[in-house]
Amino acid sequence: MTLPPYIGRFAPTPSGFLHFGSLVAALASYLDARACGGQWLLRMEDLDPPREAPGAQTAILSTLEAYGFEWDGELVNQSARHSAYALVIDRLLQAGLAYACTCSRKQLEGNGGIYPGTCRNAGHAQHDAAIRLRVPELEYHFVDRVQGQFRQHLGREVGDFVIRRRDGLYAYQLAVVLDDAWQGVTDVVRGADLLNSTPRQLYLQELLGLPPPDYLHVPLIIQPDGHKLGKSYRSPPLPTEQATPLLLRALRALGQCPPTELNAGSAQEVLAWGIAHWDALLIPRSRTLAEAQLH
Ligand code: GLU
Ligand code: ZN
């Protein structure tokens, strides 16, 4: 039996510019792919135009280029994939696995944010309704390459979740599963803020008969003010002229030990060193890292 070739990806959301936390995630996925001769794809997760920052897509691409990242094939935009998402939603509705939910924001308050299944058997029309996926009363678990065992009970800890919003926008959980499978992604390397999305994605893969990729979640970088460098944090773009020191810092955040000679090197030289010496076992087994503690 031959193993499938490694296909990795970086999938930024253009709600802002790349920040140091996204650089750490991009670098980890890039090095993990290149160190084993794999492909590295780039996908723009532009599912939510109202939350998009003007110019963010172009800025993300030029930052990646300035930092020496080279992706394989054409950039994929999720905004061009709506018909694929719509098809699957229809199938899930027809199979009775998903249903229309007309609950107001007010009705959704309480219950610890877990949807109690109010509309499960209401038979609402799809028009002007969110579409939710029924979850089973089961615990899902997987072994993350860095974080180890992760368990989550979908019924008790998540509840039936939205796959198409009431305003017609498709949800990240659905799009990411369909696109990773469509692009043949074998290994997902991303920030630990998405650990607790993974069981939902495993469930969707199971329903749709899609092969689950291997997962590696890298620590999330926390700002001195306690702010998580996540999607919603509006930070300035990574400075182009600081590519070498910031890549070195990102390498150290990932537990790698680049030699000081690289301080005078180019971004390409730092990446080449990173590929040649990549050891995913050195990545800190932690969900967060304080930026202030990085050197
Ligand atoms: N688009 C997501 C983000 O920027 C990442 C999705 C993923 O890697 O699965 O946080
Ligand atoms: Zn409802």
Side-chain angles (χ1 to χ4, degrees):
M1 201 181 95
T2 51
L3 293 167
Y6 185 116
I7 302 181
R9 59 24 164 217
F10 179 53
T13 302
S15 55
F17 302 115
L18 292 186
H19 45 63
F20 184 68
S22 15
L23 179 64
V24 171
L27 183 63
S29 68
Y30 188 75
L31 298 181
D32 201 57
R34 296 302 192 212
C36 69
Q39 293 185 55
W40 189 69
L41 313 180
L42 183 61
R43 182 171 73 228
M44 198 57 73
E45 301 213 314
D46 52 351
L47 287 172
D48 193 347
R51 288 199 48 211
E52 223 169 278
Q57 293 207 29
T58 326
I60 289 172
L61 300 185
S62 47
T63 303
L64 288 173
E65 277 167 4
Y67 279 64
F69 291 98
E70 287 173 13
W71 55 93
D72 292 300
E74 294 287 309
L75 166 75
V76 166
N77 280 80
Q78 289 193 322
S79 54
R81 296 265 303 143
H82 289 182
S83 55
Y85 309 147
L87 213 70
V88 169
I89 290 197
D90 282 343
R91 272 176 50 202
L92 292 169
L93 283 165
Q94 267 160 31
L97 294 162
Y99 60 90
C101 163
T102 57
C103 293
S104 65
R105 211 173 279 262
K106 186 113 196 95
Q107 279 171 286
L108 294 176
E109 279 169 14
N111 204 38
I114 294 162
Y115 183 68
T118 321
C119 298
R120 265 194 170 190
N121 303 309
H124 294 306
Q126 276 189 57
H127 175 73
D128 194 25
I131 307 296
R132 284 184 189 272
L133 192 70
R134 268 172 213 274
V135 298
E137 287 301 321
L138 285 177
E139 184 176 78
Y140 276 70
H141 67 98
F142 70 102
V143 180
D144 186 88
R145 285 174 53 203
V146 166
Q147 310 295 338
Q149 273 280 357
F150 186 82
R151 317 179 157 274
Q152 191 179 52
H153 191 284
L154 284 183
R156 283 201 298 271
E157 296 177 67
V158 178
D160 296 350
F161 61 92
V162 172
I163 51 175
R164 196 185 75 200
R165 286 171 17 183
R166 195 167 186 156
D167 58 11
L169 296 182
Y170 296 98
Y172 157 70
Q173 306 293 355
L174 179 80
V176 74
V177 163
L178 296 183
D179 289 344
D180 281 340
W182 177 65
Q183 296 185 279
V185 169
T186 59
D187 288 76
V188 169
V189 177
R190 60 185 178 191
D193 52 333
L194 293 167
L195 258 179
N196 61 14
S197 284
T198 308
R200 267 170 276 184
Q201 296 170 13
L202 293 171
Y203 173 54
L204 266 167
Q205 287 153 5
E206 181 187 294
L207 276 185
L208 300 169
L210 304 171
D214 283 337
Y215 289 97
L216 189 167
H217 288 86
V218 300
L220 207 64
I221 308 295
I222 309 284
Q223 284 282 281
D225 58 4
H227 222 118
K228 282 182 190 169
L229 279 179
K231 287 185 263 297
S232 52
Y233 189 69
R234 301 258 166 199
S235 48
L238 288 168
T240 312
E241 66 292 351
Q242 300 262 1
T244 293
L246 288 176
L247 281 168
L248 287 168
R249 202 159 184 242
L251 271 175
R252 289 191 292 262
L254 290 165
Q256 316 297 302
C257 308
T260 48
E261 298 92 85
L262 275 176
N263 293 349
S266 64
Q268 283 75 11
E269 287 168 325
V270 176
L271 291 180
W273 183 92
I275 293 167
H277 298 86
W278 178 242
D279 185 354
L281 295 173
L282 297 175
I283 300 171
R285 188 179 175 173
S286 137
R287 306 247 181 113
T288 57
L289 277 182
E291 184 166 33
Q293 276 157 28
L294 301 174
H295 37 271

